[in-house]
Structures are given as structure tokens and as C-alpha cells.
Amino acid sequence: MESKELVNLAAQACDEKRAQDIVVLDMGEVSLIADYFLICEGSNERQVQAIARELKKQADENGIDVKRMEGFDQARWILVDLNGVVCHIFHKDERHYYNLERLWGDASTVHIEGLDS
């Protein structure tokens, strides 16, 4: 699966668990880390974990290898590496503190069709 399809799948999985303020950054021109960053937030630790679980479930069902998942137990900032798409699932308080959108401000924002957020 190509990165563009993968980021769409990831965004839909996050949206299914009511992730808020989903933002996708095209990292291709600004970083070698990933093709895309997906950034979203949950209102509490349980929701943040539910979003990460759904993302992993959707990846598994589509034969996508989850290279790494970090921060699940604390659920303040869970990073899910899907090899080309790095998903940052924040607790709402942590997201504003780290402000990745500003940190990676040179990256363009990608519109994802069909998101409720």
C-alpha cells in the first residue's frame, strides 16, 4: 500500500474513534523521517488508547506492519510508526504543549476526504 493510501486509512481509523483535530502533514519535502505525519488528539487517556488500538487493528486487517508503537501505557502521546506514515496521537493537553504543527511548519497540510473532524 502506498503512503497516500495508508495515511487515508490511518485518518479514517482515527476518525472512527472520534479523534479530534486530525491534521496530516506532507513530510516528503521537509524530512527523511516519513512521507506523512498524522497528528490528532483525544480528550482523555482512554480515548487516546482507543484511537491507537483502532489504528493498529485497521493496519493488521490490511496487512500493514506496525513498525513501532510507543507511549501506549501512559497515553499522553502515542506514536504509531506505519513505515512511511507516522501517527502522533496526543492527549489534548500534550498536543498544545508540543505543537508539532508549528515545529514542522514548513510541511504542507493534506486534506483527507470524508473526515468528521
Side-chain angles (χ1 to χ4, degrees):
M1 181 178 289
E2 291 190 26
S3 292
K4 181 68 173 171
E5 294 171 300
L6 183 53
V7 78
N8 278 297
L9 177 83
Q12 296 302 327
C14 293
D15 191 52
E16 283 184 30
K17 291 300 177 181
R18 300 182 194 257
Q20 301 163 354
D21 198 15
I22 300 171
V23 174
V24 174
L25 300 178
D26 185 344
M27 302 300 290
E29 298 295 319
V30 296
S31 174
L32 299 175
I33 296 171
D35 296 329
Y36 297 98
F37 273 6
L38 182 147
I39 305 166
C40 67
E41 66 187 59
S43 57
N44 58 55
E45 287 86 355
R46 286 180 43 189
Q47 184 185 19
V48 170
Q49 287 176 331
I51 294 165
R53 270 193 219 97
E54 182 66 21
L55 187 54
K56 182 172 180 352
K57 177 183 160 218
Q58 291 292 329
D60 289 345
E61 288 176 0
N62 285 279
I64 299 159
D65 184 36
V66 176
K67 286 182 61 175
R68 170 176 276 148
M69 182 183 290
E70 296 180 8
F72 186 84
D73 291 338
Q74 296 80 18
R76 302 300 290 180
W77 176 3
I78 300 176
L79 182 138
V80 182
D81 185 348
L82 299 174
N83 195 24
V85 176
V86 177
C87 304
H88 302 269
I89 308 165
F90 284 99
H91 184 285
K92 65 181 177 181
D93 298 334
E94 305 299 319
R95 183 175 185 173
H96 299 293
Y97 178 78
Y98 289 103
N99 199 358
L100 292 185
E101 293 96 323
R102 189 172 134 258
L103 180 66
W104 293 100
D106 292 343
S108 59
T109 303
V110 177
H111 175 73
I112 302 294
E113 291 290 327
L115 290 186
D116 291 337
S117 13

